[in-house]
Amino acid sequence: TLRALGGAQPNLDAEIEARKQDARQNLALHSALPGTEEPLWKTLEVSYFARHEAADIAWHARSLWRHVQTAHPVVRARPSSVGDGLQVLVYSPDRPDLFARICGYFDTAGFNIQDAKIHTTRAGFALDTFQVVATQGMLPDNPGGYRDLISLVETQATLALASTGPLPDPRTGRVSRRVRSFPVTPRVTLAPDERAQRWLLTVSASDRSGLLYAIARVMARYQVNLQLAKITTLGERVEDTFLVDGPELQKPKAQLRIETELLDAIAAQG
């Protein structure tokens, strides 16, 4: 920011290198062996480093360096550094319904997803980070309670993601009084990239519990693959952006059905 205010042009390569260096220093502070980051970093693109903070990059490397080629889901959680709730890391071989299963677990377990960063590695693994809060607002007020909650989330989420059965039914989404008073007009747009091979899906709606799961279920139904995503909750408004692909998106009629079903899903009020 200081360089930009001084008139210098942004230099992405320099910013990425500085972020990597900060992440290495963070790893050293946690007594990680030199080179701990290399197994994971070799599979990641520049977009990953541009979208994650150094502390999160270091946490991912520290958590996954022995699991980069795992055949099974890996789930790690820790207290959130940006408020109440948990930060949850999910790393798994990618599959079409994975995002829906992650959202389905959080919905069933009583968590609201406040923020999410979705990334797919060059090796075909999903590397996703979620900020979640308990919908009941009953988070532990002591470190011991957090340890128990973290252990529970890691165990239950791993089992849920390993499942191949039907997706769980969504809970009825509760809508706050503020959302009822100041509703956001639901909006869905789907636009192709320059080659029409991947698509940018943007969704805007009023926030409610289970909203992201409702979106994910539609994508899973049409086998829409999620490549990247930025999930943002701004007060009572949700602004989500997804980079997606899939055979159904190449069909105009299927595109229209997907957009219509997404609109129905985000407009439904519990």
Side-chain angles (χ1 to χ4, degrees):
T1 302
L2 286 173
R3 284 197 296 273
L5 290 173
Q9 292 296 317
N11 185 332
L12 180 60
D13 290 340
E15 296 295 334
I16 296 300
E17 194 53 44
R19 195 164 294 185
K20 286 182 176 180
Q21 188 57 35
D22 287 346
R24 289 189 180 100
Q25 292 175 0
N26 186 293
L27 285 165
L29 289 174
H30 285 85
S31 303
L33 295 173
T36 294
E37 72 280 2
E38 289 305 322
L40 180 64
W41 286 12
K42 287 190 297 186
T43 72
L44 300 173
E45 299 173 336
V46 170
S47 59
Y48 165 85
F49 295 99
R51 297 173 64 241
H52 292 82
E53 300 296 328
D56 293 338
I57 293 170
W59 179 47
H60 294 169
R62 201 166 65 247
S63 301
L64 300 175
W65 69 281
R66 290 182 297 180
H67 306 285
V68 171
Q69 296 298 325
T70 182
H72 308 287
V74 175
V75 180
R76 297 290 183 265
R78 63 180 183 178
S80 175
S81 61
V82 294
D84 292 336
L86 296 177
Q87 187 177 33
V88 182
L89 164 66
V90 176
Y91 182 80
S92 173
D94 201 11
R95 68 186 209 236
D97 67 349
L98 179 64
F99 182 59
R101 289 197 180 276
I102 296 170
C103 296
Y105 163 72
F106 286 131
D107 184 61
T108 302
F111 288 96
N112 267 348
I113 299 171
Q114 296 294 303
D115 185 86
K117 294 177 182 174
I118 312 301
H119 190 84
T120 305
T121 74
R122 285 197 293 259
F125 285 78
L127 199 172
D128 306 339
T129 310
F130 299 85
Q131 301 283 348
V132 301
V133 296
T135 54
Q136 297 86 354
M138 297 176 60
L139 285 170
D141 55 5
N142 62 82
Y146 262 109
R147 283 194 295 270
D148 293 342
L149 181 61
I150 286 169
S151 178
L152 182 67
V153 168
E154 291 179 346
T155 301
Q156 290 185 341
T158 300
L159 290 174
L161 300 186
S163 171
T164 57
L167 291 169
D169 291 331
R171 296 184 305 151
T172 301
R174 293 186 298 279
V175 180
S176 70
R177 182 180 303 173
R178 183 176 177 83
V179 166
R180 289 195 297 268
S181 301
F182 303 99
V184 175
T185 302
R187 177 176 54 82
V188 173
T189 61
L190 187 62
D193 65 7
E194 62 276 6
R195 296 183 180 180
Q197 294 178 346
R198 297 196 294 185
W199 301 72
L200 191 66
L201 170 65
T202 59
V203 175
S204 178
S206 297
D207 189 26
R208 73 169 195 275
S209 61
L211 176 65
L212 192 56
Y213 184 38
I215 296 170
R217 283 171 63 89
V218 175
M219 291 198 289
R221 192 176 304 132
Y222 287 93
Q223 296 188 322
V224 173
N225 301 311
L226 182 60
Q227 299 296 324
L228 292 170
K230 182 67 176 74
I231 313 301
T232 306
T233 303
L234 305 168
E236 304 301 334
R237 182 188 188 93
V238 173
E239 295 282 352
D240 298 343
T241 304
F242 309 90
L243 186 65
V244 297
D245 62 20
E248 293 299 302
L249 294 173
Q250 306 295 334
K251 306 172 185 176
K253 289 184 178 179
Q255 280 182 41
L256 184 60
R257 286 197 299 270
I258 292 170
E259 291 185 36
T260 300
E261 290 191 26
L262 283 170
L263 272 174
D264 290 342
I266 66 177
Q269 300 293 311

mmCIF file of all heavy atoms in Angstrom, residues 173-194:
data_model
loop_
_atom_site.group_PDB
_atom_site.id
_atom_site.type_symbol
_atom_site.label_atom_id
_atom_site.label_comp_id
_atom_site.label_asym_id
_atom_site.label_seq_id
_atom_site.Cartn_x
_atom_site.Cartn_y
_atom_site.Cartn_z
ATOM 1 N N GLY A 173 -33.554 -22.943 6.959
ATOM 2 C CA GLY A 173 -32.723 -21.767 7.180
ATOM 3 C C GLY A 173 -33.443 -20.720 8.012
ATOM 4 O O GLY A 173 -34.556 -20.306 7.680
ATOM 5 N N ARG A 174 -32.816 -20.330 9.108
ATOM 6 C CA ARG A 174 -33.413 -19.292 9.944
ATOM 7 C C ARG A 174 -33.011 -17.922 9.431
ATOM 8 O O ARG A 174 -31.848 -17.681 9.137
ATOM 9 C CB ARG A 174 -32.964 -19.468 11.396
ATOM 10 C CG ARG A 174 -33.520 -20.730 12.034
ATOM 11 C CD ARG A 174 -33.149 -20.772 13.511
ATOM 12 N NE ARG A 174 -31.708 -20.811 13.702
ATOM 13 C CZ ARG A 174 -30.977 -21.902 13.616
ATOM 14 N NH1 ARG A 174 -31.551 -23.048 13.329
ATOM 15 N NH2 ARG A 174 -29.684 -21.864 13.816
ATOM 16 N N VAL A 175 -33.964 -17.027 9.334
ATOM 17 C CA VAL A 175 -33.733 -15.687 8.813
ATOM 18 C C VAL A 175 -33.867 -14.688 9.961
ATOM 19 O O VAL A 175 -34.836 -14.711 10.713
ATOM 20 C CB VAL A 175 -34.747 -15.344 7.697
ATOM 21 C CG1 VAL A 175 -34.504 -13.945 7.165
ATOM 22 C CG2 VAL A 175 -34.653 -16.371 6.581
ATOM 23 N N SER A 176 -32.873 -13.822 10.090
ATOM 24 C CA SER A 176 -32.895 -12.860 11.178
ATOM 25 C C SER A 176 -33.938 -11.780 10.931
ATOM 26 O O SER A 176 -34.393 -11.553 9.814
ATOM 27 C CB SER A 176 -31.518 -12.199 11.331
ATOM 28 O OG SER A 176 -31.270 -11.336 10.235
ATOM 29 N N ARG A 177 -34.316 -11.097 12.021
ATOM 30 C CA ARG A 177 -35.280 -10.004 11.905
ATOM 31 C C ARG A 177 -34.746 -8.912 10.990
ATOM 32 O O ARG A 177 -35.490 -8.317 10.219
ATOM 33 C CB ARG A 177 -35.578 -9.433 13.292
ATOM 34 C CG ARG A 177 -36.616 -8.312 13.284
ATOM 35 C CD ARG A 177 -36.839 -7.804 14.688
ATOM 36 N NE ARG A 177 -37.256 -8.877 15.583
ATOM 37 C CZ ARG A 177 -37.388 -8.720 16.909
ATOM 38 N NH1 ARG A 177 -37.117 -7.557 17.462
ATOM 39 N NH2 ARG A 177 -37.780 -9.728 17.655
ATOM 40 N N ARG A 178 -33.424 -8.666 11.057
ATOM 41 C CA ARG A 178 -32.831 -7.618 10.221
ATOM 42 C C ARG A 178 -32.939 -7.968 8.739
ATOM 43 O O ARG A 178 -33.234 -7.112 7.907
ATOM 44 C CB ARG A 178 -31.377 -7.392 10.610
ATOM 45 C CG ARG A 178 -30.700 -6.274 9.832
ATOM 46 C CD ARG A 178 -29.289 -6.043 10.341
ATOM 47 N NE ARG A 178 -28.614 -5.036 9.552
ATOM 48 C CZ ARG A 178 -28.734 -3.730 9.732
ATOM 49 N NH1 ARG A 178 -29.514 -3.276 10.690
ATOM 50 N NH2 ARG A 178 -28.066 -2.877 8.971
ATOM 51 N N VAL A 179 -32.721 -9.237 8.399
ATOM 52 C CA VAL A 179 -32.840 -9.659 7.000
ATOM 53 C C VAL A 179 -34.281 -9.521 6.519
ATOM 54 O O VAL A 179 -34.535 -9.092 5.390
ATOM 55 C CB VAL A 179 -32.345 -11.112 6.830
ATOM 56 C CG1 VAL A 179 -32.767 -11.681 5.485
ATOM 57 C CG2 VAL A 179 -30.830 -11.170 6.963
ATOM 58 N N ARG A 180 -35.229 -9.868 7.389
ATOM 59 C CA ARG A 180 -36.638 -9.721 6.995
ATOM 60 C C ARG A 180 -37.002 -8.261 6.770
ATOM 61 O O ARG A 180 -37.815 -7.931 5.898
ATOM 62 C CB ARG A 180 -37.543 -10.336 8.072
ATOM 63 C CG ARG A 180 -37.503 -11.853 8.127
ATOM 64 C CD ARG A 180 -38.666 -12.410 8.923
ATOM 65 N NE ARG A 180 -38.624 -11.990 10.316
ATOM 66 C CZ ARG A 180 -38.040 -12.678 11.291
ATOM 67 N NH1 ARG A 180 -37.445 -13.829 11.005
ATOM 68 N NH2 ARG A 180 -38.058 -12.230 12.539
ATOM 69 N N SER A 181 -36.366 -7.365 7.537
ATOM 70 C CA SER A 181 -36.668 -5.943 7.405
ATOM 71 C C SER A 181 -35.952 -5.303 6.228
ATOM 72 O O SER A 181 -36.473 -4.380 5.598
ATOM 73 C CB SER A 181 -36.285 -5.212 8.694
ATOM 74 O OG SER A 181 -36.974 -5.740 9.806
ATOM 75 N N PHE A 182 -34.732 -5.791 5.937
ATOM 76 C CA PHE A 182 -33.934 -5.206 4.850
ATOM 77 C C PHE A 182 -33.440 -6.315 3.922
ATOM 78 O O PHE A 182 -32.246 -6.632 3.874
ATOM 79 C CB PHE A 182 -32.737 -4.429 5.421
ATOM 80 C CG PHE A 182 -33.134 -3.351 6.384
ATOM 81 C CD1 PHE A 182 -33.071 -3.572 7.755
ATOM 82 C CD2 PHE A 182 -33.579 -2.121 5.928
ATOM 83 C CE1 PHE A 182 -33.434 -2.575 8.652
ATOM 84 C CE2 PHE A 182 -33.942 -1.121 6.815
ATOM 85 C CZ PHE A 182 -33.872 -1.352 8.181
ATOM 86 N N PRO A 183 -34.347 -6.936 3.182
ATOM 87 C CA PRO A 183 -33.951 -8.056 2.327
ATOM 88 C C PRO A 183 -33.080 -7.604 1.153
ATOM 89 O O PRO A 183 -33.197 -6.475 0.675
ATOM 90 C CB PRO A 183 -35.289 -8.606 1.826
ATOM 91 C CG PRO A 183 -36.217 -7.428 1.874
ATOM 92 C CD PRO A 183 -35.787 -6.620 3.063
ATOM 93 N N VAL A 184 -32.206 -8.506 0.725
ATOM 94 C CA VAL A 184 -31.365 -8.271 -0.447
ATOM 95 C C VAL A 184 -31.996 -9.000 -1.633
ATOM 96 O O VAL A 184 -32.345 -10.180 -1.523
ATOM 97 C CB VAL A 184 -29.933 -8.794 -0.206
ATOM 98 C CG1 VAL A 184 -29.087 -8.650 -1.469
ATOM 99 C CG2 VAL A 184 -29.292 -8.063 0.965
ATOM 100 N N THR A 185 -32.163 -8.315 -2.732
ATOM 101 C CA THR A 185 -32.729 -8.949 -3.924
ATOM 102 C C THR A 185 -31.788 -10.034 -4.426
ATOM 103 O O THR A 185 -30.616 -9.758 -4.734
ATOM 104 C CB THR A 185 -32.953 -7.916 -5.040
ATOM 105 O OG1 THR A 185 -33.817 -6.888 -4.560
ATOM 106 C CG2 THR A 185 -33.562 -8.579 -6.267
ATOM 107 N N PRO A 186 -32.228 -11.292 -4.503
ATOM 108 C CA PRO A 186 -31.340 -12.373 -4.956
ATOM 109 C C PRO A 186 -30.871 -12.128 -6.392
ATOM 110 O O PRO A 186 -31.639 -11.666 -7.243
ATOM 111 C CB PRO A 186 -32.231 -13.619 -4.873
ATOM 112 C CG PRO A 186 -33.337 -13.251 -3.947
ATOM 113 C CD PRO A 186 -33.565 -11.790 -4.147
ATOM 114 N N ARG A 187 -29.614 -12.434 -6.638
ATOM 115 C CA ARG A 187 -29.056 -12.227 -7.977
ATOM 116 C C ARG A 187 -28.073 -13.346 -8.289
ATOM 117 O O ARG A 187 -27.249 -13.712 -7.458
ATOM 118 C CB ARG A 187 -28.343 -10.874 -8.041
ATOM 119 C CG ARG A 187 -27.656 -10.572 -9.374
ATOM 120 C CD ARG A 187 -27.058 -9.169 -9.367
ATOM 121 N NE ARG A 187 -26.158 -8.956 -8.233
ATOM 122 C CZ ARG A 187 -24.881 -9.347 -8.217
ATOM 123 N NH1 ARG A 187 -24.370 -9.979 -9.254
ATOM 124 N NH2 ARG A 187 -24.123 -9.097 -7.157
ATOM 125 N N VAL A 188 -28.176 -13.897 -9.498
ATOM 126 C CA VAL A 188 -27.268 -14.937 -9.982
ATOM 127 C C VAL A 188 -26.825 -14.578 -11.382
ATOM 128 O O VAL A 188 -27.667 -14.281 -12.243
ATOM 129 C CB VAL A 188 -27.945 -16.330 -9.999
ATOM 130 C CG1 VAL A 188 -27.037 -17.360 -10.657
ATOM 131 C CG2 VAL A 188 -28.307 -16.774 -8.592
ATOM 132 N N THR A 189 -25.521 -14.570 -11.625
ATOM 133 C CA THR A 189 -25.015 -14.366 -12.979
ATOM 134 C C THR A 189 -24.009 -15.459 -13.300
ATOM 135 O O THR A 189 -23.241 -15.886 -12.427
ATOM 136 C CB THR A 189 -24.342 -12.984 -13.146
ATOM 137 O OG1 THR A 189 -23.227 -12.892 -12.246
ATOM 138 C CG2 THR A 189 -25.322 -11.864 -12.857
ATOM 139 N N LEU A 190 -24.027 -15.901 -14.544
ATOM 140 C CA LEU A 190 -23.137 -16.962 -15.000
ATOM 141 C C LEU A 190 -22.539 -16.517 -16.325
ATOM 142 O O LEU A 190 -23.263 -16.357 -17.316
ATOM 143 C CB LEU A 190 -23.926 -18.270 -15.167
ATOM 144 C CG LEU A 190 -23.145 -19.541 -15.485
ATOM 145 C CD1 LEU A 190 -22.172 -19.874 -14.359
ATOM 146 C CD2 LEU A 190 -24.107 -20.702 -15.715
ATOM 147 N N ALA A 191 -21.229 -16.301 -16.343
ATOM 148 C CA ALA A 191 -20.579 -15.771 -17.542
ATOM 149 C C ALA A 191 -19.357 -16.623 -17.884
ATOM 150 O O ALA A 191 -18.581 -16.990 -16.993
ATOM 151 C CB ALA A 191 -20.152 -14.319 -17.320
ATOM 152 N N PRO A 192 -19.153 -16.942 -19.179
ATOM 153 C CA PRO A 192 -18.005 -17.772 -19.561
ATOM 154 C C PRO A 192 -16.710 -16.968 -19.584
ATOM 155 O O PRO A 192 -16.722 -15.736 -19.717
ATOM 156 C CB PRO A 192 -18.381 -18.231 -20.973
ATOM 157 C CG PRO A 192 -19.235 -17.124 -21.503
ATOM 158 C CD PRO A 192 -20.001 -16.596 -20.324
ATOM 159 N N ASP A 193 -15.575 -17.698 -19.444
ATOM 160 C CA ASP A 193 -14.294 -17.039 -19.651
ATOM 161 C C ASP A 193 -14.055 -16.900 -21.153
ATOM 162 O O ASP A 193 -14.911 -17.217 -21.978
ATOM 163 C CB ASP A 193 -13.164 -17.803 -18.954
ATOM 164 C CG ASP A 193 -12.930 -19.201 -19.552
ATOM 165 O OD1 ASP A 193 -13.545 -19.537 -20.589
ATOM 166 O OD2 ASP A 193 -12.139 -19.963 -18.968
ATOM 167 N N GLU A 194 -12.848 -16.430 -21.515
ATOM 168 C CA GLU A 194 -12.600 -16.130 -22.930
ATOM 169 C C GLU A 194 -12.658 -17.362 -23.817
ATOM 170 O O GLU A 194 -12.919 -17.270 -25.016
ATOM 171 C CB GLU A 194 -11.240 -15.426 -23.091
ATOM 172 C CG GLU A 194 -10.032 -16.247 -22.662
ATOM 173 C CD GLU A 194 -9.772 -16.150 -21.164
ATOM 174 O OE1 GLU A 194 -10.607 -15.540 -20.457
ATOM 175 O OE2 GLU A 194 -8.744 -16.686 -20.698
#
